[in-house]
């Protein structure tokens, strides 16, 4: 279950007042290497020796825009006694690939609180997310090599830009290399932002898959004196030669205020919705969930919370499939000392 969601800190505000910074050349190069040896004592005995080199290059085109490149090369030698394909078991994604994929990951954040939650869920709030970076380098849970890739991320002409394209090696389903791509563009509108996402490719190589979507993330930090209002809307549609095409859409409303606060969301996932580069674990549903909370800080404790939460799932004909409710929870934090 993915729980490493990145947060776009630009939504928290604008950092100002930094001066006299020397950018330098703007080039950062990282090199990685991996040397492995394996000997199998069972008959017929055989040994395997492998070396893999990889690296990342990060170049800052402008102070707000980065271009990243990743590549690897390697060789693997087996004795005559080894079985075809047996070396696959000792291969893994190099550390440099993880750095390449996670660098500026928040640039690709989509849908706001439609795919995240500030409180503990017994299910993944990310269900239906169109892009999940850890899907690159994995095919059906099995690591595959990332042969090379390039990424562009940052800000240009007032737009937030993220583009990623990589080539991975073949999987157990297909020996063909996979080209996996994602693009994300956003436009700030005051405190809010409007954007779209596009993905293409299937890490397993089992299908031709494309996805496109739009989202609007609204924020008003003073909709009432000292009170914040956040609301998120999204629509995505997937196109697959194996599952056909279908869509998903949703909305979230958040009032992260005191003493009264609320966080609630709705989402629908079509039966054939299939984000091959994203994350989905339940389709053909309508989902309603949220939490309402009352917090006091003036009763002699650090805080006193009273909260209730709900989670309902129906099929697309509105027949209840599952639900989870907490009528009333309390939480007290004592003062230090």
């Amino acid at each position: 279950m993915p729980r490493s969601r990145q947060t776009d800190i630009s939504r928290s505000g604008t950092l100002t007042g930094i001066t006299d910074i020397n950018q330098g050349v703007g080039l950062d190069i990282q090199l990685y290497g991996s040397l492995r040896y394996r000997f199998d004592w069972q008959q017929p005995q055989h040994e395997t020796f492998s070396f893999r080199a990889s690296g990342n290059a990060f170049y800052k085109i402008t102070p707000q825009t980065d271009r990243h490149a990743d590549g690897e090369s390697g060789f693997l030698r087996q004795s005559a006694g080894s079985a075809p394909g047996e070396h696959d078991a000792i291969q893994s994604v190099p550390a440099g690939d993880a750095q390449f994929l996670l660098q500026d990951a928040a640039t690709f954040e989509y849908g706001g609180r439609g795919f995240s939650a500030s409180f503990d869920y017994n299910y993944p709030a990310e269900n239906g997310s169109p892009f999940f970076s850890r899907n690159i380098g994995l095919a059906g849970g099995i690591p595959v090599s990332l042969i090379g890739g390039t990424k562009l991320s940052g800000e240009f002409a007032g737009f937030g830009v993220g583009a990623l394209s990589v080539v991975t090696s073949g999987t157990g389903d297909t020996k063909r290399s996979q080209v996996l791509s994602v693009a994300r563009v956003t436009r700030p509108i005051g405190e809010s932002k409007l954007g779209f996402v596009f993905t293409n490719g299937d890490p397993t190589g089992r299908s031709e898959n494309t996805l496109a979507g739009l989202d609007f993330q609204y924020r008003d930090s003073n909709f009432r004196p000292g009170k914040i209002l956040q609301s998120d809307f999204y629509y995505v549609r997937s196109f697959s030669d194996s599952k056909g095409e279908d869509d998903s859409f949703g909305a979230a409303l958040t009032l992260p205020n005191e003493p009264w606060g609320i966080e609630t969301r709705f989402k629908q996932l079509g039966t054939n919705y299939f984000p091959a580069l994203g994350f989905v674990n339940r389709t053909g549903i309508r989902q309603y969930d949220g939490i309402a909370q009352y917090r006091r800080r003036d009763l002699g404790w650090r805080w006193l919370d009273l909260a209730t939460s709900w989670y309902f799932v129906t099929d697309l004909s509105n027949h209840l499939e599952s639900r989870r409710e907490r009528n009333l929870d309390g939480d007290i934090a004592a003062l230090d000392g």
Side-chain angles (χ1 to χ4, degrees):
M1 172 190 318
R3 303 304 280 175
S4 62
R5 183 173 180 82
Q6 305 292 323
T7 300
D8 182 0
I9 62 171
S10 68
R11 301 202 72 195
S12 301
T14 302
L15 184 63
T16 61
I18 298 178
T19 59
D20 300 325
I21 299 297
N22 183 6
Q23 179 181 332
V25 177
L27 178 64
D28 183 13
I29 298 177
Q30 302 170 346
L31 300 177
Y32 301 86
S34 175
L35 179 65
R36 297 187 179 190
Y37 175 79
R38 173 178 173 177
F39 185 83
D40 193 337
W41 292 91
Q42 295 183 349
Q43 297 295 336
Q45 294 181 351
H46 64 274
E47 61 181 2
T48 303
F49 170 78
S50 67
F51 174 76
R52 174 172 296 164
S54 65
N56 297 324
F58 302 88
Y59 178 65
K60 192 169 287 294
I61 301 172
T62 71
Q64 293 82 28
T65 309
D66 292 338
R67 186 180 185 277
H68 321 275
D70 176 90
E72 72 167 82
S73 61
F75 64 86
L76 183 145
R77 179 175 60 81
Q78 293 178 274
S79 71
S82 60
E86 193 163 341
H87 62 275
D88 294 339
I90 66 170
Q91 293 186 358
S92 62
V93 178
D97 294 350
Q99 173 69 20
F100 169 73
L101 294 173
L102 293 176
Q103 179 79 20
D104 294 335
T107 304
F108 299 91
E109 179 268 343
Y110 176 84
R113 286 159 185 80
F115 298 110
S116 65
S118 61
F119 58 97
D120 229 0
Y121 273 11
N122 285 339
Y123 62 92
E126 297 88 345
N127 185 28
S129 178
F131 176 64
F132 183 54
S133 63
R134 290 189 182 180
N135 276 339
I136 297 177
L138 292 174
I142 300 174
V144 295
S145 297
L146 196 159
I147 299 172
T150 185
K151 178 194 286 186
L152 181 71
S153 61
E155 182 180 325
F156 181 75
F159 289 86
V161 178
L164 168 69
S165 186
V166 301
V167 179
T168 65
S169 61
T171 69
D173 298 299
T174 174
K175 297 302 180 182
R176 294 183 296 108
S177 296
Q178 306 301 315
V179 179
L180 309 174
S181 303
V182 58
R184 171 75 166 142
V185 175
T186 59
R187 176 69 176 182
I189 304 174
E191 295 183 83
S192 309
K193 67 178 180 180
L194 176 69
F196 75 83
V197 67
F198 173 86
T199 72
N200 187 72
D202 181 349
T204 67
R206 298 171 185 166
S207 69
E208 300 291 332
N209 186 275
T210 300
L211 177 146
L214 293 170
D215 71 320
F216 180 61
Q217 302 179 33
Y218 176 78
R219 177 184 173 95
D220 185 345
S221 59
N222 198 37
F223 88 106
R224 290 178 53 197
K227 304 299 181 182
I228 299 172
L229 170 65
Q230 297 171 321
S231 189
D232 304 280
F233 309 88
Y234 70 87
Y235 175 85
V236 285
R237 190 166 187 87
S238 64
F239 306 84
S240 169
D241 64 353
S242 62
K243 294 181 177 290
E245 59 183 82
D246 213 332
D247 58 15
S248 175
F249 54 88
L253 174 67
T254 306
L255 297 167
N257 303 309
E258 296 183 10
W260 294 100
I262 189 170
E263 178 176 319
T264 185
R265 66 184 52 77
F266 161 80
K267 65 174 64 175
Q268 175 174 310
L269 291 85
T271 302
N272 296 315
Y273 173 65
F274 177 45
L277 280 175
F279 173 76
V280 64
N281 70 338
R282 191 172 183 181
T283 59
I285 63 167
R286 293 188 176 116
Q287 177 178 309
Y288 311 81
D289 61 81
I291 183 172
Q293 178 177 282
Y294 178 73
R295 170 171 287 185
R296 293 286 298 272
R297 297 180 182 267
D298 57 354
L299 300 177
W301 300 291
R302 182 179 298 175
W303 71 70
L304 169 66
D305 285 350
L306 296 175
T308 183
S309 64
W310 58 94
Y311 167 61
F312 300 91
V313 174
T314 73
D315 62 19
L316 297 181
S317 298
N318 293 320
H319 297 128
L320 184 65
E321 291 189 348
S322 57
R323 72 178 183 183
R324 180 176 181 271
E325 299 174 84
R326 288 190 290 185
N327 293 327
L328 189 64
D329 281 347
D331 182 38
I332 298 176
L335 292 171
D336 293 335

